[in-house]
Amino acid sequence: MSGGFNRYLLRRVLLLVFVLWCILTIMFWLFHFMPGDPTAMFVDANLSPALIERQRELWGLADPVWIQYLRYLRNMVLFDFGTSFFQIAPVSEIMAEKVVNTCLMVVPSLIIAVVLGTLIGAVAGWRRGGLFERAAVGGSLFLHSAPSFFVGILALMVFSYQLRWLPPGGMVSLGGPSTAWGMLFSGDFWVHLLLPCAVLVSREITGPILLLRTSMLEVKGSDFLDILRAKGLPERRIVVHATRNALLPLVTYVAVMTAALFQGQVLLEIIFAWPGIGRELVQALHDLDYPVAQAALYLMALVTLLLNLMADLLYGLIDPRVTYD
């Protein structure tokens, strides 16, 4: 690695740490000033003030604010999220399960969206001005402008409640497998996944289509394609070579797209009753379960920052024209 790259990496890591500190600080004060007291929801009002205060001390809510803030920062850095106020279980265990559930919905949707979007975008860019390109661009703009919650509700109404082809929600039916590996090898899980996955793909496939089309148009006029034609390569091989060069912007976009998927599935998890991190966050906010809500927001922010950092670094590694000096 060159000295320029090392300096760039150091700056990006320091910037990531600073932004993460800002996010954690905003989260702390946001929860600190939220109306309502989590103890009031399950501490009996008939208890004496001394017992109520004792419970607050056990949770650390009676300490000075600056002590709570420093303890909060230390715990977030160490991924020590404490115990859920309501589920009486370690928050780290709850988050581990919910993150896996979210990944089980996001990862297949991401793979399908990237693969199909790449193929459609490459063909649309290569056949500029044709019917296929107009249909691809028009369909992408239409799907991109449709709110995901509206598409999700519409899909539920049509395919679950009217046609009764697919289950309306959840990851598996009652009595189905409860582990991630068990669900992956269960047909019942894939049937439940089909509808939310289709809604996610309909939204996220638009980015790769439009990006590949634009990138393909730029590559299409390159001199190296004329050289390949002069060598007598068939059109199919030339398209493959052009697509490889057009993929450079998509590689970094996928990292940003993954971060958006990880955050943007909150409404869909609620609509499809999918027990992921987004649904858990909404429930925790409703219950004033601060440890769970803070952990969920922290993990979502951390994943977003890390994936954006990965996108910046990947672009420099795969494109030799990028320099850091």
Side-chain angles (χ1 to χ4, degrees):
M1 295 294 179
S2 65
F5 177 80
N6 292 333
R7 289 191 296 271
Y8 172 78
L9 178 60
L10 179 61
R11 289 197 304 269
R12 290 291 287 111
V13 171
L14 291 177
L15 179 61
L16 183 147
V17 172
F18 173 73
V19 173
L20 190 60
W21 171 75
C22 292
I23 292 174
L24 289 175
T25 301
I26 293 173
M27 283 170 48
F28 175 82
W29 291 110
L30 180 65
F31 281 97
H32 185 76
F33 289 114
M34 281 182 65
D37 187 344
T39 61
M41 299 188 67
F42 50 90
V43 172
D44 193 343
N46 296 323
L47 294 177
S48 65
L51 289 176
I52 295 177
E53 187 62 25
R54 174 59 179 166
Q55 188 63 52
R56 289 177 56 84
E57 291 176 358
L58 290 175
W59 287 330
L61 299 176
D63 295 334
V65 175
W66 67 272
I67 294 180
Q68 295 184 43
Y69 176 68
L70 293 178
R71 182 172 58 233
Y72 158 80
L73 288 180
R74 182 200 64 190
N75 292 341
M76 290 293 112
V77 171
L78 298 176
F79 294 93
D80 181 10
F81 303 128
T83 303
S84 170
F85 288 166
F86 286 82
Q87 302 183 47
I88 317 300
V91 177
S92 57
E93 295 181 4
I94 298 173
M95 288 295 101
E97 177 187 356
K98 302 306 179 184
V99 168
V100 170
N101 291 343
T102 294
C103 290
L104 288 174
M105 180 173 67
V106 167
V107 173
S109 305
L110 177 67
I111 294 174
I112 295 173
V114 171
V115 173
L116 287 181
T118 300
L119 295 175
I120 296 173
V123 175
W126 190 258
R127 299 179 177 177
R128 183 179 184 182
L131 178 61
F132 185 86
E133 186 210 17
R134 291 196 294 271
V137 173
S140 298
L141 294 176
F142 174 77
L143 291 175
H144 187 74
S145 63
S148 58
F149 68 89
F150 172 77
V151 178
I153 294 174
L154 184 63
L156 273 179
M157 291 175 57
V158 175
F159 296 104
S160 294
Y161 297 116
Q162 295 294 330
L163 301 176
R164 300 185 182 275
W165 288 353
L166 297 170
M171 295 180 67
V172 290
S173 303
L174 291 177
S178 57
T179 63
W181 284 111
M183 286 185 286
L184 284 175
F185 294 99
S186 169
D188 183 58
F189 164 75
W190 292 103
V191 171
H192 281 75
L193 175 65
L194 186 58
L195 205 54
C197 181
V199 175
L200 272 177
V201 169
S202 70
R203 183 186 68 185
E204 299 302 330
I205 197 175
T206 59
I209 290 176
L210 297 176
L211 185 63
L212 251 295
R213 170 188 170 272
T214 302
S215 184
M216 199 69 168
L217 291 176
E218 296 176 357
V219 173
K220 190 176 179 181
S222 301
D223 294 336
F224 78 94
L225 294 181
D226 295 331
I227 297 176
L228 294 177
R229 290 190 181 95
K231 290 182 177 180
L233 264 68
E235 191 74 6
R236 180 177 57 84
R237 293 285 302 278
I238 295 176
V239 172
V240 172
H241 283 282
T243 303
R244 287 178 181 175
N245 286 267
L247 282 175
L248 288 177
L250 181 65
V251 173
T252 54
Y253 177 78
V254 169
V256 179
M257 178 181 172
T258 305
L261 266 173
F262 194 76
Q263 296 182 62
Q265 87 299 341
V266 175
L267 289 176
L268 291 183
E269 287 185 357
I270 296 174
I271 292 172
F272 293 104
W274 195 274
I277 188 172
R279 188 163 176 254
E280 187 68 21
L281 169 62
V282 174
Q283 187 62 44
L285 290 173
H286 176 267
D287 296 335
L288 297 182
D289 197 346
Y290 293 167
V292 174
Q294 287 176 341
L297 287 172
Y298 171 65
L299 291 176
M300 294 171 74
L302 183 61
V303 168
T304 302
L305 292 174
L306 290 176
L307 288 173
N308 278 278
L309 174 63
M310 184 186 303
D312 290 342
L313 298 180
L314 275 176
Y315 197 80
L317 292 175
I318 64 178
D319 192 345
R321 296 171 296 181
V322 177
T323 59
Y324 299 97
D325 298 327

